[in-house]
Amino acid sequence: MSQRPGRPELCVVQATINRPDGGGASLIAFSTSVDGPNTPFARAPWQLSLVAGYIASLRRDSTPADVESFTKYLTGRATAAVPAAVTPYSYAPLHDRRVTCLIDLAFTPGAGTTGWPGVSLVVLEQDADGPNTWGRVQRRRGYLGVVSYALLEITAEQQHLADLARGGDEDATRLHSLAGEVRTWVTKIRKSAKADDTLTQAATVRRGIRRS
């Protein structure tokens, strides 16, 4: 498996959430368990899938992102098949050598009239046993870009687990099945996001034609 037998991997999910009324922004952060056993869920593919789920919940409920809903969504999945990062985190993750994955989100008021939030994403990863160097950085902007990247990550994870399972890793076999379920879920979210994005672009084209 990809998790290391020594120091556990630690994933921090933090979000800067701008209030819809323009009254400033709030920063909130959670981490996977610091003291618990090393699990594969303290990694980007799994936690990004939950981020995609939260974004989709905002679209479904036609509500803007806020600290309360973000907190409720994650804590409500503390004991789910894919456990969310739920431990309050109050450190500086960029300078915390324990952190192997940082998912940094910024939410702004909704994108157009579709109900999807405005959102940008930065994912930073580093080796738990190496120097304090962020060796991998990924950036995405917009709800479709973030959801698409979540799908890309969980797809790659499923393929990686398939390779391990073929080598006789029983844990990988179990996780491969779970990754498949998560990938199906995120695929549906991405399909919905793409459909709304297409409608938005079409509406923009129509408005341009009317003005010409």
Side-chain angles (χ1 to χ4, degrees), residues 46-124:
W46 302 98
Q47 296 301 316
L48 283 171
S49 297
L50 296 173
V51 168
Y54 173 66
I55 292 172
S57 75
L58 298 175
R59 168 66 175 88
R60 182 191 65 234
D61 299 336
S62 297
T63 57
D66 59 34
V67 170
E68 291 74 19
S69 66
F70 185 74
T71 301
K72 182 178 180 180
Y73 189 88
L74 293 184
T75 56
R77 286 152 183 79
T79 59
V82 178
V86 296
T87 302
Y89 182 85
S90 57
Y91 305 98
L94 289 175
H95 304 289
D96 187 346
R97 288 195 61 188
R98 300 172 301 167
V99 178
T100 53
C101 173
L102 171 61
I103 295 173
D104 189 10
L105 298 153
F107 287 97
T108 56
T113 60
T114 62
W116 293 92
V119 60
S120 61
L121 166 74
V122 179
V123 179
L124 300 97

Side-chain angles (χ1 to χ4, degrees), residues 1-210:
M1 294 299 297
S2 58
Q3 60 264 39
R4 302 170 182 83
R7 289 170 53 191
E9 294 181 275
L10 180 67
C11 184
V12 172
V13 180
Q14 69 177 19
T16 301
I17 302 176
N18 288 276
R19 292 175 53 179
D21 61 6
S26 299
L27 174 66
I28 186 168
F30 296 97
S31 74
T32 52
S33 177
V34 178
D35 301 318
N38 199 2
T39 77
F41 304 116
R43 298 179 55 248
W46 302 98
Q47 296 301 316
L48 283 171
S49 297
L50 296 173
V51 168
Y54 173 66
I55 292 172
S57 75
L58 298 175
R59 168 66 175 88
R60 182 191 65 234
D61 299 336
S62 297
T63 57
D66 59 34
V67 170
E68 291 74 19
S69 66
F70 185 74
T71 301
K72 182 178 180 180
Y73 189 88
L74 293 184
T75 56
R77 286 152 183 79
T79 59
V82 178
V86 296
T87 302
Y89 182 85
S90 57
Y91 305 98
L94 289 175
H95 304 289
D96 187 346
R97 288 195 61 188
R98 300 172 301 167
V99 178
T100 53
C101 173
L102 171 61
I103 295 173
D104 189 10
L105 298 153
F107 287 97
T108 56
T113 60
T114 62
W116 293 92
V119 60
S120 61
L121 166 74
V122 179
V123 179
L124 300 97
E125 294 174 280
Q126 66 178 346
D127 193 321
D129 300 320
N132 189 206
T133 302
W134 298 101
R136 181 180 180 222
V137 181
Q138 294 288 327
R139 292 179 173 85
R140 295 294 187 276
R141 183 175 296 275
Y143 64 88
L144 180 58
V146 173
V147 169
S148 295
Y149 183 62
L151 178 59
L152 181 69
E153 282 284 288
I154 195 62
T155 299
E157 179 74 354
Q158 185 185 20
Q159 293 170 347
H160 172 62
L161 290 166
D163 291 339
L164 293 177
R166 282 191 289 269
D169 190 320
E170 294 182 1
D171 287 339
T173 300
R174 175 182 59 83
L175 287 169
H176 176 263
S177 177
L178 179 59
E181 294 176 15
V182 174
R183 179 175 179 267
T184 297
W185 175 53
V186 179
T187 297
K188 292 178 181 178
I189 295 173
R190 200 265 178 192
K191 183 178 180 180
S192 176
K194 177 62 176 176
D196 280 345
D197 182 70
T198 299
L199 289 174
T200 298
Q201 292 187 38
T204 300
V205 170
R206 287 195 296 269
R207 286 194 297 271
I209 292 173
R210 294 191 190 103

